Amino acid sequence: MKSAGRGSVAQLNAKYEQELNAYLEMYSYDSDRIFYLANEYMLLNNYHRANKIFLKDNKDIKNVFGAATTYRFMGQNENAIQKYTQAESYLGRGLANRNLDNYDSAVNDLQTYISRTGAHDGYVALADVYFKMGKNKEAYSIASQGLAKYKDSKILRTLANNI
C-alpha cells in the first residue's frame, strides 16, 4: 500500500471515530445502542472496533462484560481480568486467568462460578484448567460431577475419557 493510501486510511478512521461519537452523542451515549452497535462488530469478528465501542459505556454491565470479552478475544487478558472483575463475571475472569497460566486464580474463579450457577461451561472450564495443571484426578472428578448433572454432554464425556 502506498503511503498516500495509508494516509487515506488514517483519515477514514478519524472520520469514522468522529461520526461514531456524533451518533452516540445524539443518543446521549445510550447503553442499549452502544451494546447493539458493538455486538454487530463482534458478530463480524472485529473485536478491536467492538471493544472501542463497548468502552464508551462503563456503567451498563452488559457493555463492561462486552469490553472484557473483546479484550480476552484480542489476547489482552490482563485488561479482560480488570473488566470481568468490574462485571463480576467469574467465568470470564477464570478463562482470562487460565489464558495467563494463573491457574490458582482460575480455579478459584471457576469454583465460585460453579457454586453460584452450576452451569455446564463451568465444569468444562474447571476440568480443563485442572488438566492443564497436571491434576488429572481433580480434572476427572470435575468432569464426572458435570456429567452427573449434564448426562448428554459430549465435551464432558470426551474430557473424562481423555483424562
Side-chain angles (χ1 to χ4, degrees):
M1 188 178 233
K2 297 178 184 176
S3 62
R6 287 187 199 140
S8 297
V9 170
Q11 290 172 342
L12 285 173
N13 279 330
K15 181 70 173 163
Y16 170 84
E17 288 296 323
Q18 182 182 6
E19 292 294 327
L20 173 65
N21 287 329
Y23 171 79
L24 293 174
E25 191 172 307
M26 181 171 59
Y27 291 102
S28 303
Y29 288 84
D30 177 69
S31 293
D32 290 334
R33 284 188 190 271
I34 289 171
F35 179 80
Y36 175 76
L37 183 59
N39 193 55
E40 289 297 313
Y41 282 108
M42 286 282 295
L43 295 172
L44 296 170
N45 298 324
N46 189 337
Y47 305 123
H48 181 73
R49 181 134 308 151
N51 179 265
K52 288 179 95 174
I53 296 169
F54 280 130
L55 288 171
K56 295 196 179 283
D57 177 19
N58 207 24
K59 296 176 204 130
D60 191 310
I61 199 77
K62 67 182 177 281
N63 290 322
V64 174
F65 181 83
T69 301
T70 52
Y71 274 136
R72 184 167 54 88
F73 288 176
M74 294 186 304
Q76 297 180 25
N77 290 291
E78 294 89 358
N79 290 333
I81 288 169
Q82 290 175 356
K83 286 295 182 183
Y84 281 131
T85 299
Q86 186 179 347
E88 296 183 19
S89 173
Y90 292 97
L91 175 63
R93 192 170 67 189
L95 295 173
N97 273 308
R98 179 205 59 199
N99 293 346
L100 291 170
D101 298 335
N102 296 337
Y103 296 129
D104 291 336
S105 295
V107 166
N108 289 335
D109 284 336
L110 295 170
Q111 285 175 335
T112 300
Y113 178 71
I114 290 170
S115 72
R116 290 183 177 196
T117 68
H120 176 265
D121 50 0
Y123 290 100
V124 172
L126 185 55
D128 177 62
V129 169
Y130 278 134
F131 184 73
K132 287 183 185 305
M133 295 173 75
K135 295 185 174 186
N136 292 351
K137 182 179 175 183
E138 290 88 343
Y140 182 79
S141 175
I142 291 298
S144 296
Q145 288 173 36
L147 273 171
K149 188 171 184 176
Y150 301 99
K151 294 175 183 15
D152 295 331
S153 172
K154 291 179 183 176
I155 191 164
L156 285 170
R157 188 163 316 287
T158 300
L159 276 169
N161 289 336
N162 289 338
I163 298 168

